[in-house]
PDB file of all heavy atoms in Angstrom:
ATOM      1  N   ASN A  19       9.389 -37.449  18.027  1.00 96.00           N
ATOM      2  CA  ASN A  19       7.992 -36.842  18.300  1.00 96.00           C
ATOM      3  C   ASN A  19       8.214 -35.434  18.744  1.00 96.00           C
ATOM      4  O   ASN A  19       7.433 -34.410  18.241  1.00 96.00           O
ATOM      5  CB  ASN A  19       7.422 -37.584  19.465  1.00 96.00           C
ATOM      6  CG  ASN A  19       5.867 -36.996  19.794  1.00 96.00           C
ATOM      7  OD1 ASN A  19       5.055 -37.268  19.080  1.00 96.00           O
ATOM      8  ND2 ASN A  19       5.952 -36.284  20.824  1.00 96.00           N
ATOM      9  N   ALA A  20       9.135 -35.003  19.575  1.00 96.00           N
ATOM     10  CA  ALA A  20       9.368 -33.581  19.899  1.00 96.00           C
ATOM     11  C   ALA A  20       9.784 -32.764  18.858  1.00 96.00           C
ATOM     12  O   ALA A  20       9.490 -31.585  18.637  1.00 96.00           O
ATOM     13  CB  ALA A  20      10.366 -33.629  21.089  1.00 96.00           C
ATOM     14  N   ARG A  21      10.565 -33.386  17.902  1.00 96.00           N
ATOM     15  CA  ARG A  21      11.104 -32.562  16.607  1.00 96.00           C
ATOM     16  C   ARG A  21       9.855 -32.307  15.771  1.00 96.00           C
ATOM     17  O   ARG A  21       9.767 -31.117  15.185  1.00 96.00           O
ATOM     18  CB  ARG A  21      12.119 -33.388  15.961  1.00 96.00           C
ATOM     19  CG  ARG A  21      13.428 -33.475  16.653  1.00 96.00           C
ATOM     20  CD  ARG A  21      14.205 -32.038  16.486  1.00 96.00           C
ATOM     21  NE  ARG A  21      15.478 -32.162  17.160  1.00 96.00           N
ATOM     22  CZ  ARG A  21      16.257 -30.990  17.212  1.00 96.00           C
ATOM     23  NH1 ARG A  21      15.864 -29.831  16.618  1.00 96.00           N
ATOM     24  NH2 ARG A  21      17.402 -31.083  17.789  1.00 96.00           N
ATOM     25  N   TYR A  22       8.984 -33.222  15.685  1.00 95.00           N
ATOM     26  CA  TYR A  22       7.696 -32.920  14.850  1.00 95.00           C
ATOM     27  C   TYR A  22       6.882 -31.822  15.398  1.00 95.00           C
ATOM     28  O   TYR A  22       6.297 -30.864  14.828  1.00 95.00           O
ATOM     29  CB  TYR A  22       6.905 -34.190  14.765  1.00 95.00           C
ATOM     30  CG  TYR A  22       7.363 -35.141  13.629  1.00 95.00           C
ATOM     31  CD1 TYR A  22       7.762 -36.405  13.968  1.00 95.00           C
ATOM     32  CD2 TYR A  22       7.390 -34.751  12.279  1.00 95.00           C
ATOM     33  CE1 TYR A  22       8.111 -37.237  12.953  1.00 95.00           C
ATOM     34  CE2 TYR A  22       7.685 -35.702  11.228  1.00 95.00           C
ATOM     35  CZ  TYR A  22       8.037 -36.921  11.665  1.00 95.00           C
ATOM     36  OH  TYR A  22       8.489 -37.707  10.634  1.00 95.00           O
ATOM     37  N   GLU A  23       6.827 -31.821  16.751  1.00 94.00           N
ATOM     38  CA  GLU A  23       6.113 -30.703  17.489  1.00 94.00           C
ATOM     39  C   GLU A  23       6.750 -29.394  17.296  1.00 94.00           C
ATOM     40  O   GLU A  23       6.041 -28.300  17.193  1.00 94.00           O
ATOM     41  CB  GLU A  23       6.070 -31.104  18.959  1.00 94.00           C
ATOM     42  CG  GLU A  23       5.217 -32.272  19.285  1.00 94.00           C
ATOM     43  CD  GLU A  23       5.203 -32.696  20.790  1.00 94.00           C
ATOM     44  OE1 GLU A  23       6.068 -32.256  21.439  1.00 94.00           O
ATOM     45  OE2 GLU A  23       4.228 -33.426  21.230  1.00 94.00           O
ATOM     46  N   LEU A  24       8.133 -29.282  17.184  1.00 94.00           N
ATOM     47  CA  LEU A  24       8.845 -28.145  17.143  1.00 94.00           C
ATOM     48  C   LEU A  24       8.586 -27.425  15.679  1.00 94.00           C
ATOM     49  O   LEU A  24       8.537 -26.321  15.545  1.00 94.00           O
ATOM     50  CB  LEU A  24      10.321 -28.351  17.227  1.00 94.00           C
ATOM     51  CG  LEU A  24      10.746 -28.490  18.670  1.00 94.00           C
ATOM     52  CD1 LEU A  24      12.241 -28.797  18.657  1.00 94.00           C
ATOM     53  CD2 LEU A  24      10.453 -27.336  19.511  1.00 94.00           C
ATOM     54  N   LEU A  25       8.198 -28.441  14.643  1.00 92.00           N
ATOM     55  CA  LEU A  25       7.936 -27.897  13.373  1.00 92.00           C
ATOM     56  C   LEU A  25       6.616 -26.957  13.444  1.00 92.00           C
ATOM     57  O   LEU A  25       6.594 -25.925  12.814  1.00 92.00           O
ATOM     58  CB  LEU A  25       7.617 -29.088  12.396  1.00 92.00           C
ATOM     59  CG  LEU A  25       8.795 -29.815  11.778  1.00 92.00           C
ATOM     60  CD1 LEU A  25       8.316 -30.908  10.909  1.00 92.00           C
ATOM     61  CD2 LEU A  25       9.591 -28.989  11.113  1.00 92.00           C
ATOM     62  N   GLY A  26       5.577 -27.493  14.149  1.00 89.00           N
ATOM     63  CA  GLY A  26       4.316 -26.675  14.309  1.00 89.00           C
ATOM     64  C   GLY A  26       4.704 -25.293  15.026  1.00 89.00           C
ATOM     65  O   GLY A  26       4.129 -24.253  14.603  1.00 89.00           O
ATOM     66  N   ARG A  27       5.526 -25.376  16.057  1.00 92.00           N
ATOM     67  CA  ARG A  27       5.769 -24.201  16.791  1.00 92.00           C
ATOM     68  C   ARG A  27       6.547 -23.151  16.065  1.00 92.00           C
ATOM     69  O   ARG A  27       6.183 -22.044  16.060  1.00 92.00           O
ATOM     70  CB  ARG A  27       6.521 -24.602  18.168  1.00 92.00           C
ATOM     71  CG  ARG A  27       6.762 -23.427  18.967  1.00 92.00           C
ATOM     72  CD  ARG A  27       8.086 -23.696  20.015  1.00 92.00           C
ATOM     73  NE  ARG A  27       9.285 -23.670  19.265  1.00 92.00           N
ATOM     74  CZ  ARG A  27      10.398 -23.976  19.906  1.00 92.00           C
ATOM     75  NH1 ARG A  27      10.400 -24.131  21.185  1.00 92.00           N
ATOM     76  NH2 ARG A  27      11.494 -24.033  19.137  1.00 92.00           N
ATOM     77  N   ASP A  28       7.551 -23.610  15.437  1.00 92.00           N
ATOM     78  CA  ASP A  28       8.407 -22.762  14.548  1.00 92.00           C
ATOM     79  C   ASP A  28       7.531 -22.161  13.376  1.00 92.00           C
ATOM     80  O   ASP A  28       7.762 -20.935  13.020  1.00 92.00           O
ATOM     81  CB  ASP A  28       9.550 -23.491  14.010  1.00 92.00           C
ATOM     82  CG  ASP A  28      10.465 -23.934  15.075  1.00 92.00           C
ATOM     83  OD1 ASP A  28      10.382 -23.335  16.196  1.00 92.00           O
ATOM     84  OD2 ASP A  28      11.457 -24.689  14.906  1.00 92.00           O
ATOM     85  N   LEU A  29       6.687 -22.860  12.771  1.00 90.00           N
ATOM     86  CA  LEU A  29       5.838 -22.324  11.672  1.00 90.00           C
ATOM     87  C   LEU A  29       5.006 -21.246  12.177  1.00 90.00           C
ATOM     88  O   LEU A  29       4.670 -20.311  11.609  1.00 90.00           O
ATOM     89  CB  LEU A  29       5.121 -23.572  11.064  1.00 90.00           C
ATOM     90  CG  LEU A  29       4.596 -23.130   9.668  1.00 90.00           C
ATOM     91  CD1 LEU A  29       5.606 -22.750   8.634  1.00 90.00           C
ATOM     92  CD2 LEU A  29       3.867 -24.572   9.069  1.00 90.00           C
ATOM     93  N   LYS A  30       4.319 -21.488  13.360  1.00 90.00           N
ATOM     94  CA  LYS A  30       3.412 -20.532  13.888  1.00 90.00           C
ATOM     95  C   LYS A  30       4.255 -19.326  14.293  1.00 90.00           C
ATOM     96  O   LYS A  30       3.708 -18.116  14.101  1.00 90.00           O
ATOM     97  CB  LYS A  30       2.772 -21.063  15.217  1.00 90.00           C
ATOM     98  CG  LYS A  30       1.778 -21.972  15.083  1.00 90.00           C
ATOM     99  CD  LYS A  30       0.429 -21.543  14.739  1.00 90.00           C
ATOM    100  CE  LYS A  30      -0.638 -22.501  14.604  1.00 90.00           C
ATOM    101  NZ  LYS A  30      -1.943 -21.885  14.297  1.00 90.00           N
ATOM    102  N   GLN A  31       5.412 -19.405  14.828  1.00 92.00           N
ATOM    103  CA  GLN A  31       6.173 -18.257  15.095  1.00 92.00           C
ATOM    104  C   GLN A  31       6.572 -17.435  13.826  1.00 92.00           C
ATOM    105  O   GLN A  31       6.539 -16.177  13.833  1.00 92.00           O
ATOM    106  CB  GLN A  31       7.508 -18.581  15.904  1.00 92.00           C
ATOM    107  CG  GLN A  31       7.258 -18.999  17.289  1.00 92.00           C
ATOM    108  CD  GLN A  31       8.529 -19.475  17.987  1.00 92.00           C
ATOM    109  OE1 GLN A  31       9.562 -19.652  17.300  1.00 92.00           O
ATOM    110  NE2 GLN A  31       8.463 -19.831  19.177  1.00 92.00           N
ATOM    111  N   VAL A  32       6.918 -18.115  12.701  1.00 91.00           N
ATOM    112  CA  VAL A  32       7.334 -17.418  11.481  1.00 91.00           C
ATOM    113  C   VAL A  32       6.136 -16.654  11.010  1.00 91.00           C
ATOM    114  O   VAL A  32       6.183 -15.484  10.586  1.00 91.00           O
ATOM    115  CB  VAL A  32       7.761 -18.344  10.446  1.00 91.00           C
ATOM    116  CG1 VAL A  32       7.727 -17.777   9.156  1.00 91.00           C
ATOM    117  CG2 VAL A  32       9.098 -18.988  10.799  1.00 91.00           C
ATOM    118  N   ALA A  33       4.913 -17.240  11.054  1.00 90.00           N
ATOM    119  CA  ALA A  33       3.546 -16.495  10.583  1.00 90.00           C
ATOM    120  C   ALA A  33       3.393 -15.384  11.459  1.00 90.00           C
ATOM    121  O   ALA A  33       2.925 -14.295  10.891  1.00 90.00           O
ATOM    122  CB  ALA A  33       2.553 -17.522  10.492  1.00 90.00           C
ATOM    123  N   LYS A  34       3.471 -15.534  12.794  1.00 90.00           N
ATOM    124  CA  LYS A  34       3.285 -14.397  13.702  1.00 90.00           C
ATOM    125  C   LYS A  34       4.211 -13.172  13.337  1.00 90.00           C
ATOM    126  O   LYS A  34       3.727 -12.116  13.312  1.00 90.00           O
ATOM    127  CB  LYS A  34       3.404 -14.864  15.068  1.00 90.00           C
ATOM    128  CG  LYS A  34       3.148 -13.810  16.166  1.00 90.00           C
ATOM    129  CD  LYS A  34       3.332 -14.369  17.637  1.00 90.00           C
ATOM    130  CE  LYS A  34       3.059 -13.227  18.565  1.00 90.00           C
ATOM    131  NZ  LYS A  34       3.244 -13.880  20.046  1.00 90.00           N
ATOM    132  N   VAL A  35       5.404 -13.532  13.125  1.00 91.00           N
ATOM    133  CA  VAL A  35       6.501 -12.332  12.876  1.00 91.00           C
ATOM    134  C   VAL A  35       6.098 -11.680  11.555  1.00 91.00           C
ATOM    135  O   VAL A  35       6.128 -10.370  11.460  1.00 91.00           O
ATOM    136  CB  VAL A  35       7.904 -12.864  12.993  1.00 91.00           C
ATOM    137  CG1 VAL A  35       8.792 -11.961  12.400  1.00 91.00           C
ATOM    138  CG2 VAL A  35       8.259 -13.340  14.273  1.00 91.00           C
ATOM    139  N   LEU A  36       5.857 -12.485  10.679  1.00 91.00           N
ATOM    140  CA  LEU A  36       5.557 -12.009   9.162  1.00 91.00           C
ATOM    141  C   LEU A  36       4.237 -11.073   9.315  1.00 91.00           C
ATOM    142  O   LEU A  36       4.198  -9.981   8.599  1.00 91.00           O
ATOM    143  CB  LEU A  36       5.572 -13.005   8.206  1.00 91.00           C
ATOM    144  CG  LEU A  36       6.774 -13.633   7.893  1.00 91.00           C
ATOM    145  CD1 LEU A  36       6.570 -14.765   6.821  1.00 91.00           C
ATOM    146  CD2 LEU A  36       7.846 -12.697   7.306  1.00 91.00           C
ATOM    147  N   LEU A  37       3.214 -11.584  10.098  1.00 90.00           N
ATOM    148  CA  LEU A  37       2.005 -10.901  10.115  1.00 90.00           C
ATOM    149  C   LEU A  37       2.144  -9.417  10.678  1.00 90.00           C
ATOM    150  O   LEU A  37       1.366  -8.474  10.575  1.00 90.00           O
ATOM    151  CB  LEU A  37       0.878 -11.683  10.666  1.00 90.00           C
ATOM    152  CG  LEU A  37       0.481 -12.825   9.884  1.00 90.00           C
ATOM    153  CD1 LEU A  37      -0.515 -13.784  10.683  1.00 90.00           C
ATOM    154  CD2 LEU A  37      -0.371 -12.411   8.547  1.00 90.00           C
ATOM    155  N   GLU A  38       3.045  -9.527  11.556  1.00 89.00           N
ATOM    156  CA  GLU A  38       3.369  -8.257  12.476  1.00 89.00           C
ATOM    157  C   GLU A  38       4.153  -7.297  11.861  1.00 89.00           C
ATOM    158  O   GLU A  38       4.045  -5.992  11.839  1.00 89.00           O
ATOM    159  CB  GLU A  38       3.870  -8.525  13.827  1.00 89.00           C
ATOM    160  CG  GLU A  38       2.796  -9.351  14.863  1.00 89.00           C
ATOM    161  CD  GLU A  38       3.545  -9.714  16.037  1.00 89.00           C
ATOM    162  OE1 GLU A  38       4.743  -9.484  16.218  1.00 89.00           O
ATOM    163  OE2 GLU A  38       2.800 -10.184  17.005  1.00 89.00           O
ATOM    164  N   HIS A  39       5.170  -7.663  11.028  1.00 86.00           N
ATOM    165  CA  HIS A  39       6.181  -6.820  10.548  1.00 86.00           C
ATOM    166  C   HIS A  39       6.405  -6.942   9.017  1.00 86.00           C
ATOM    167  O   HIS A  39       7.251  -6.160   8.437  1.00 86.00           O
ATOM    168  CB  HIS A  39       7.540  -7.103  11.302  1.00 86.00           C
ATOM    169  CG  HIS A  39       7.578  -6.988  12.692  1.00 86.00           C
ATOM    170  ND1 HIS A  39       7.369  -5.852  13.387  1.00 86.00           N
ATOM    171  CD2 HIS A  39       7.577  -8.084  13.650  1.00 86.00           C
ATOM    172  CE1 HIS A  39       7.218  -6.161  14.725  1.00 86.00           C
ATOM    173  NE2 HIS A  39       7.435  -7.333  14.942  1.00 86.00           N
ATOM    174  N   GLY A  40       5.793  -7.937   8.329  1.00 81.00           N
ATOM    175  CA  GLY A  40       6.139  -8.203   7.025  1.00 81.00           C
ATOM    176  C   GLY A  40       5.456  -7.067   5.981  1.00 81.00           C
ATOM    177  O   GLY A  40       4.359  -6.490   6.414  1.00 81.00           O
ATOM    178  N   GLN A  41       6.052  -6.899   4.818  1.00 88.00           N
ATOM    179  CA  GLN A  41       5.357  -5.993   3.924  1.00 88.00           C
ATOM    180  C   GLN A  41       4.469  -6.727   2.961  1.00 88.00           C
ATOM    181  O   GLN A  41       4.759  -7.806   2.585  1.00 88.00           O
ATOM    182  CB  GLN A  41       6.615  -5.323   3.067  1.00 88.00           C
ATOM    183  CG  GLN A  41       7.557  -4.617   3.958  1.00 88.00           C
ATOM    184  CD  GLN A  41       8.806  -3.998   3.122  1.00 88.00           C
ATOM    185  OE1 GLN A  41       8.782  -4.210   1.921  1.00 88.00           O
ATOM    186  NE2 GLN A  41       9.614  -3.309   3.744  1.00 88.00           N
ATOM    187  N   PRO A  42       3.354  -6.075   2.592  1.00 88.00           N
ATOM    188  CA  PRO A  42       2.407  -6.843   1.734  1.00 88.00           C
ATOM    189  C   PRO A  42       2.868  -7.332   0.411  1.00 88.00           C
ATOM    190  O   PRO A  42       2.418  -8.360   0.020  1.00 88.00           O
ATOM    191  CB  PRO A  42       1.302  -5.630   1.490  1.00 88.00           C
ATOM    192  CG  PRO A  42       1.455  -4.805   2.787  1.00 88.00           C
ATOM    193  CD  PRO A  42       2.917  -4.755   3.099  1.00 88.00           C
ATOM    194  N   ALA A  43       3.892  -6.713  -0.119  1.00 89.00           N
ATOM    195  CA  ALA A  43       4.334  -7.097  -1.434  1.00 89.00           C
ATOM    196  C   ALA A  43       5.273  -8.298  -1.248  1.00 89.00           C
ATOM    197  O   ALA A  43       5.450  -9.085  -2.254  1.00 89.00           O
ATOM    198  CB  ALA A  43       5.089  -5.970  -2.180  1.00 89.00           C
ATOM    199  N   LYS A  44       5.849  -8.401  -0.130  1.00 89.00           N
ATOM    200  CA  LYS A  44       6.828  -9.619   0.079  1.00 89.00           C
ATOM    201  C   LYS A  44       6.486 -10.750   1.096  1.00 89.00           C
ATOM    202  O   LYS A  44       7.127 -11.692   1.111  1.00 89.00           O
ATOM    203  CB  LYS A  44       8.190  -8.907   0.600  1.00 89.00           C
ATOM    204  CG  LYS A  44       8.885  -7.930  -0.349  1.00 89.00           C
ATOM    205  CD  LYS A  44      10.134  -7.489   0.304  1.00 89.00           C
ATOM    206  CE  LYS A  44      10.717  -6.395  -0.671  1.00 89.00           C
ATOM    207  NZ  LYS A  44      12.064  -5.880  -0.185  1.00 89.00           N
ATOM    208  N   ILE A  45       5.459 -10.546   1.739  1.00 92.00           N
ATOM    209  CA  ILE A  45       5.095 -11.300   2.889  1.00 92.00           C
ATOM    210  C   ILE A  45       4.838 -12.724   2.384  1.00 92.00           C
ATOM    211  O   ILE A  45       5.243 -13.863   2.986  1.00 92.00           O
ATOM    212  CB  ILE A  45       3.865 -10.880   3.658  1.00 92.00           C
ATOM    213  CG1 ILE A  45       3.584 -11.723   4.906  1.00 92.00           C
ATOM    214  CG2 ILE A  45       2.612 -10.693   2.929  1.00 92.00           C
ATOM    215  CD1 ILE A  45       2.603 -11.127   5.876  1.00 92.00           C
ATOM    216  N   ALA A  46       4.066 -13.032   1.246  1.00 92.00           N
ATOM    217  CA  ALA A  46       3.781 -14.327   0.753  1.00 92.00           C
ATOM    218  C   ALA A  46       5.052 -14.978   0.190  1.00 92.00           C
ATOM    219  O   ALA A  46       5.230 -16.248   0.604  1.00 92.00           O
ATOM    220  CB  ALA A  46       2.831 -14.229  -0.389  1.00 92.00           C
ATOM    221  N   ALA A  47       5.887 -14.458  -0.342  1.00 92.00           N
ATOM    222  CA  ALA A  47       7.178 -15.002  -0.793  1.00 92.00           C
ATOM    223  C   ALA A  47       8.108 -15.425   0.458  1.00 92.00           C
ATOM    224  O   ALA A  47       8.646 -16.505   0.472  1.00 92.00           O
ATOM    225  CB  ALA A  47       7.969 -14.068  -1.736  1.00 92.00           C
TER     226      ALA A  47
END
């Protein structure tokens, strides 16, 4: 159950980092 919860946390963190520092041409990929 905790591992499933970590999926959501890690996915949120990836999206947060990319939205802050990602380049528009590469962010979706």
Side-chain angles (χ1 to χ4, degrees):
N19 180 75
R21 285 290 180 182
Y22 277 120
E23 292 175 343
L24 286 177
L25 284 178
R27 186 199 68 179
D28 294 346
L29 197 55
K30 286 280 187 181
Q31 289 179 348
V32 169
K34 182 179 179 181
V35 171
L36 289 177
L37 289 172
E38 291 178 355
H39 307 290
Q41 300 177 4
K44 299 180 179 179
I45 186 172

